[in-house]
C-alpha cells in the first residue's frame, strides 16, 4: 500500500483577483504533490478559497454586490488561474459550502465539550485587513500618528460580546509540541519566532463576532458567527469529510504539510494545534512558512501600481518558464524577487539553452544519423560510465533537495547533470564521429538518450507539461514517468523491443524574447 501524503495550501481570500503570491504558493504545493506522487506516495492535495469574515463582507458592500456573488465571481478566478498553472489539486474547498459549515460547527462543539469555550466581553485593537486582534504593545505608529498592526494595517478599538477559546491553557502543551518535534514549524527562523511568542504567555482568544453575520453560526448562539480563522483553519478537516469517520480521514489525517506564507504562521502553528488538541484530534506533522515574493524587491500594492496579474505572466512566457523560475530562483523559505527579465534570463539559460538544447540535439541526431533507431547493449567506455554516474548523482541531488523543500538546491543539482551531458556532447563530438567511427557515435547517442530520459523524469514535477511533450517524443509511456521507472534496468531494452523509433523532434522549451519595455522600466 502506498504511503499516504496530505498537503494543503492556505485557502486564499477571494476579495480580489489572485496575485503572484497566490500563484507562487500554489505552484510550490503542486510541485511537492507531484514530487510525492512520483515518489510513490498516495497524495491528497487541497487548496481553496476563504470566503467569510468582515473583510469579505466589507469588500462586497463597497462593490455593491452580495458577499455570495463576490465569492462566486472571485473564487472562479482562482480556479481558472490554477488550471492555467497546471495545478493538479484533488480538492478545491470553498468555506461557504454546507459541508464546511457542518465541519466547523462540529469542531466547535468538540472544543466546547472539552470546556474550552466561554462567553465574555472583548475589547481590543482589531485589524479588519488581518482579521486579527492585536495587543497594544504590538502596535506601531503610522505617518499620521494612527495606530497600525505589526503588518502595517490599520486597527480599530473594538468592543463586543464574544466567545473565548482557552488558548492560555495550551501554552505548555504547545511548547512541548515544538520541543519534541523540531520539524513541526519550519524553517527554523519561524520556529524560533513562534516559540518566543508562546513563551511570552498566551491570552485566551476571542472566537466569535456579533457585529456582522457573514460567517459560520455558533451552535446554539445564532447571533454569533465564528471568528473567520476558526472557520478557515477547519477547512483542512472539511476536505477529508470531518466530522464523519471517513476512510479519507483515517488515511490522510494528520496532514503531512500545511504550506503557508510567513505572515500566517502564528495562526497555523499556535491557534490551529491548540484547537485540534482541544478537540482531541492529532496535530499536523509540519507547518512550513514560505517567504514573500517581491516585485523587483518591492511589495506589490495597488498604490504603487506594481500589481502583476499572474495570468498575464503565463500568457507572456508560458506556464513552465514561470513554474521553473519560481522554484529555481528563490531559496524556499526566504523572500525572493521576480521580474519579467529575470524569468526570461533563467528560462532561456537553463530550460531552453541547456536542457532543451541537449534534448533537441540528442533526438535530432538520432533521427538524422540513425534513422531514429535506438540500440541497447553497445560497448560503453569510461566517459560513458562517468556521465551516467553524474546524471544519477544529479537525479538523487534533486530528490534529496525536494524532499526537504529545498527546490533551488535540488534544481541546482539537476543542472549539474545537464551540464555534464552538454560537456560530454562537446567532448565526444558525435557529428565528427559520424564519419570517423559510426559505431562509437551510435553508442554516444544512445547513452545521451538514456541520460535525457532520466533528467526529464526527475524534473517533471516542476515543468510537467513540457516534460510530457518531450517524453511523448521519446516513446516513454505515461505510466513509466515516475521515479520508480528510474530504477528500472530493463526499460531501454523494452522500449526498443516495442519497435519505437525517434521521429523528427520538436523543441519543448522555446527561447523567450526579452520584454521590450524592460529597459525603460
Ligand atoms: O491569509 N508572496 O489568505 P491570503 C508569497 N485566507 N506569498 C504570499 C504573498 C506574497 N507576496 N502574499 C500572500 C489568507 N501570500 C487566509 C489564509 S488559511 C486557513 C487562511 C500567501 O489570500 C499568504 O502568506 O491573504 C497565504 O499563505 C496565502 O498567500 C493566501 O493569502
Amino acid at each position: 500500500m502506498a504511503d499516504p501524503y496530505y498537503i494543503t495550501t492556505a485557502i486564499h481570500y477571494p476579495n480580489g483577483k489572485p496575485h503572484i503570491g497566490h500563484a507562487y504558493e500554489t505552484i510550490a504545493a503542486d510541485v511537492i504533490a507531484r514530487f510525492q506522487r512520483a515518489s510513490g506516495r498516495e497524495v491528497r492535495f487541497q487548496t481553496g478559497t476563504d470566503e467569510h469574515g468582515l473583510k469579505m463582507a466589507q469588500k462586497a458592500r463597497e462593490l455593491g454586490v452580495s458577499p455570495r456573488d463576490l465569492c462566486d465571481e472571485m473564487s472562479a478566478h482562482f480556479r481558472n488561474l490554477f488550471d492555467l498553472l497546471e495545478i493538479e489539486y484533488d480538492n478545491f474547498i470553498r468555506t461557504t459550502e454546507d459541508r464546511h459549515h457542518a465541519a466547523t460547527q462540529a469542531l466547535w462543539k468538540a472544543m466546547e465539550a472539552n470546556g474550552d469555550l466561554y462567553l465574555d466581553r472583548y475589547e481590543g485593537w482589531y485589524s479588519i485587513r488581518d482579521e486579527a486582534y492585536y495587543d497594544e504593545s504590538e502596535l506601531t505608529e503610522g505617518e499620521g500618528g494612527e495606530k497600525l498592526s505589526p503588518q502595517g494595517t490599520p486597527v480599530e478599538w473594538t468592543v463586543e460580546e464574544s466567545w473565548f477559546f482557552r488558548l492560555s491553557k495550551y501554552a505548555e502543551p504547545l511548547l512541548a509540541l515544538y520541543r519534541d518535534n523540531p520539524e513541526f514549524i519550519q524553517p527554523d527562523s519561524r520556529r524560533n519566532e513562534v516559540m518566543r511568542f508562546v513563551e511570552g504567555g498566551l491570552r485566551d482568544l476571542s472566537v466569535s463576532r456579533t457585529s456582522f453575520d457573514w460567517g459560520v453560526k455558533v451552535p446554539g448562539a445564532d447571533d454569533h458567527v465564528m471568528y473567520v480563522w476558526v472557520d478557515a483553519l477547519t477547512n483542512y478537516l472539511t476536505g477529508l469529510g470531518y466530522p464523519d469517520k471517513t476512510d479519507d480521514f483515517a488515511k490522510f489525517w494528520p496532514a503531512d504539510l500545511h504550506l503557508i506564507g510567513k505572515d500566517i504562521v502564528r495562526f497555523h502553528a499556535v491557534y490551529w494545534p491548540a484547537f485540534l488538541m482541544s478537540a482531541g484530534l492529532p496535530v499536523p506533522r509540519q507547518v512550513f512558512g514560505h517567504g514573500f515574493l517581491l516585485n523587483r524587491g518591492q511589495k506589490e500594492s495597488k498604490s504603487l501600481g506594481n500589481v502583476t496579474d499572474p495570468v498575464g505572466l503565463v500568457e507572456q512566457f508560458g506556464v513552465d518558464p514561470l513554474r521553473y523560475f519560481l522554484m529555481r530562483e528563490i531559496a524556499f523559505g526566504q523572500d525572493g524577487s521576480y521580474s519579467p527579465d529575470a524569468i526570461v534570463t533563467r528560462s532561456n539559460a537553463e530550460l531552453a539553452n541547456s536542457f532543451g538544447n541537449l534534448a533537441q540535439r540528442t533526438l535530432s541526431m538520432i533521427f538524422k544519423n540513425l534513422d531514429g533507431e535506438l540500440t541497447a547493449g553497445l560497448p560503453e567506455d569510461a566517459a560513458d560510465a562517468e556521465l551516467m554516474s553524474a546524471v544519477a548523482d544529479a537525479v538523487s541531488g534533486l530528490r534529496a533537495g525536494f524532499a526537504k523543500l529545498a527546490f533551488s538546491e535540488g534544481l541546482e543539482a539537476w543542472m549539474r547533470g545537464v551540464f555534464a551531458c552538454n560537456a560530454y556532447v562537446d567532448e565526444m563530438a558525435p557529428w565528427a564521429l559520424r564519419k570517423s567511427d559510426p559505431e562509437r557515435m551510435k553508442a554516444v547517442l544512445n547513452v545521451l538518450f538514456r541520460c535525457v530520459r532520466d533528467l526529464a523524469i526527475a524534473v517533471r514535477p516542476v515543468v510537467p507539461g513540457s516534460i510530457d511533450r518531450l517524453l511523448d517524443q521519446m516513446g516513454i509511456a505515461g505510466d513509466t514517468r515516475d521515479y520508480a521507472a528510474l530504477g528500472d534496468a530493463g526499460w531501454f531494452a523494452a522500449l526498443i523491443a516495442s519497435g519505437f523509433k525517434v521521429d523528427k523532434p520538436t523543441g519543448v522549451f522555446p527561447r523567450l524574447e526579452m520584454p521590450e519595455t524592460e529597459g525603460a522600466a
Side-chain angles (χ1 to χ4, degrees), residues 73-92:
E73 184 193 337
M74 289 302 163
S75 183
H77 283 292
F78 279 85
R79 267 190 215 241
N80 292 341
L81 172 67
F82 296 164
D83 288 347
L84 197 64
L85 294 173
E86 293 176 16
I87 306 297
E88 249 178 16
Y89 56 78
D90 301 292
N91 202 354
F92 187 101

Side-chain angles (χ1 to χ4, degrees), residues 65 118 151 244 248 258 281 311 390 402 412 414 453 512 514:
V65 297
Y118 62 91
Q151 316 290 344
D244 295 341
D248 279 348
H258 290 320
L281 293 170
V311 173
F402 280 31
E412 207 177 307
W414 178 76
R453 176 262 193 185
L512 303 174
M514 199 54 96

